[in-house]
Amino acid sequence: MKYVSLLIVFIAVLLQACNGGDSSTPANETETETELQKSKITILRVPTSQGEFDGLTAGPKTGVPVILLHGFPSTAEQFNSIIKNLADEGYYVIAPNQRGFSEGVRPTEPEAYHPSLRTQDVIDIANQLDIERFHLVGHNSGALTSWIVSSMHPDRVITLTAISVAHPQAIVDVALSGDAGQPAERAGYAQDFTSENFEETFVANDHEYMRWVYEDSPQESIDLYVDKLGDVETVDAILNYYRERDWGWILTNGARTIVVPTLQIWGDNDSYVTIATMALSENYVTAEYRFEILEGISHWVTETAEDDVSALLLEHFEGRN
């Protein structure tokens, strides 16, 4: 009986080998796992000469790359749903936490946040990931950087999508016309951000001012940003985005005519930027241009209209991959 039992085991192993492995696993199970892996968001870490950027990524590395640039004062998490939606369609999505927002790239001196350096960060991240060309999407301050990158490096950008912030020259045009481009109750926030020791005000009284900035954003997003960015040192670092704007440099280098297909998205309930500013961007785009207005949506477009934004992005990318 002992030898019979051994013979049965041997035959079973032989049959399994002939069938190419575990025959109990359905053929489509591996395919299902692959599909699930597409949209699984993982931590992004990109070492550069400036330090290590962190963030989020999803989708197959063989897919067409999409770089998402978050706004101020947010993180890559503002794109959570959009990352998944794009990855589900096979795109390779990279959402870095930018300079100051990444723990590994958080210099303290204002000059380290010059727009030329923030622009080069995008190119350095792409280079480190062996990405030659990519779709570029930015919201808020990330949109401003996206305009500049597209202006200076059109050979690297497949398409541009700017959310909630206009072309740099359009911003200046509106300002010079006597219209600050923002509703009156919000027009002074940029000046506040450059005030000495304003980081203390930003986080005082259980982050009262910080929470006010996020008004109309989902509560879970507010809690996340306050938790991740709400200490004085981090706020002091990221406020340098406003202390070191250097509009002279931006207008000379980053406000050229855009020659890549461009999509603008704006919510008509935006408390920071008016349609007067957004609409002028068309004057500075010679490629195909589209301006989409989302009704009833606040400044925090990517978190309150994520499915609408995802659909618009997929339409914009289609046929340009």
Side-chain angles (χ1 to χ4, degrees), residues 73 202-203 207-214 225-226 229-230 235:
F202 213 76
V203 303
H207 305 85
E208 181 179 6
Y209 188 99
M210 191 174 186
R211 294 178 188 278
W212 174 79
V213 170
Y214 294 128
Y225 300 145
V226 167
L229 306 173
V235 171

Side-chain angles (χ1 to χ4, degrees), residues 50-53 98-114 117-118 121 233-241 243:
Q50 301 298 303
E52 184 179 75
F53 288 89
Q98 296 175 78
R99 178 178 294 247
F101 296 84
S102 275
E103 290 186 19
V105 191
R106 189 171 288 162
T108 56
E109 61 278 10
E111 56 269 26
Y113 292 83
H114 193 274
L117 297 174
R118 304 197 314 253
D121 288 341
E233 291 76 17
T234 301
V235 171
D236 187 31
I238 63 180
L239 283 175
N240 288 321
Y241 274 68
R243 297 168 180 151

Side-chain angles (χ1 to χ4, degrees), residues 49-69:
S49 62
Q50 301 298 303
E52 184 179 75
F53 288 89
D54 53 54
L56 302 173
T57 186
K61 292 185 178 180
T62 54
V64 177
V66 181
I67 296 179
L68 306 174
L69 301 181

Side-chain angles (χ1 to χ4, degrees), residues 174-189:
V174 170
L176 292 177
S177 72
D179 181 349
Q182 293 118 2
E185 70 273 14
R186 301 278 175 151
Y189 78 92

Side-chain angles (χ1 to χ4, degrees), residues 158-289:
I158 304 171
T159 69
L160 164 66
T161 302
I163 306 173
S164 303
V165 166
H167 186 281
Q169 188 63 59
I171 296 172
V172 172
D173 289 348
V174 170
L176 292 177
S177 72
D179 181 349
Q182 293 118 2
E185 70 273 14
R186 301 278 175 151
Y189 78 92
Q191 286 72 34
D192 289 342
F193 290 173
T194 61
S195 301
E196 187 175 359
N197 298 322
F198 192 72
E199 61 274 10
E200 301 283 353
T201 302
F202 213 76
V203 303
N205 302 318
D206 189 26
H207 305 85
E208 181 179 6
Y209 188 99
M210 191 174 186
R211 294 178 188 278
W212 174 79
V213 170
Y214 294 128
E215 190 177 46
D216 301 322
S217 185
Q219 186 60 49
E220 59 269 24
S221 296
I222 297 174
D223 293 339
L224 185 149
Y225 300 145
V226 167
D227 180 61
K228 294 193 73 169
L229 306 173
D231 62 275
V232 173
E233 291 76 17
T234 301
V235 171
D236 187 31
I238 63 180
L239 283 175
N240 288 321
Y241 274 68
Y242 288 86
R243 297 168 180 151
E244 196 67 23
R245 277 267 166 122
D246 195 347
W247 278 99
W249 183 90
I250 291 174
L251 293 178
T252 301
N253 300 279
R256 303 166 187 163
T257 299
I258 303 300
V259 297
V260 301
T262 300
L263 169 66
Q264 270 199 154
I265 303 174
W266 176 75
D268 68 359
N269 197 29
D270 195 310
S271 296
Y272 293 95
V273 182
T274 65
I275 193 171
T277 310
M278 297 296 289
L280 283 178
S281 294
E282 186 174 9
N283 296 339
Y284 303 103
V285 180
T286 57
E288 184 179 342
Y289 170 84

Side-chain angles (χ1 to χ4, degrees), residues 16 71 74 77 119:
Q16 182 176 351
S74 305
E77 278 85 357
T119 300

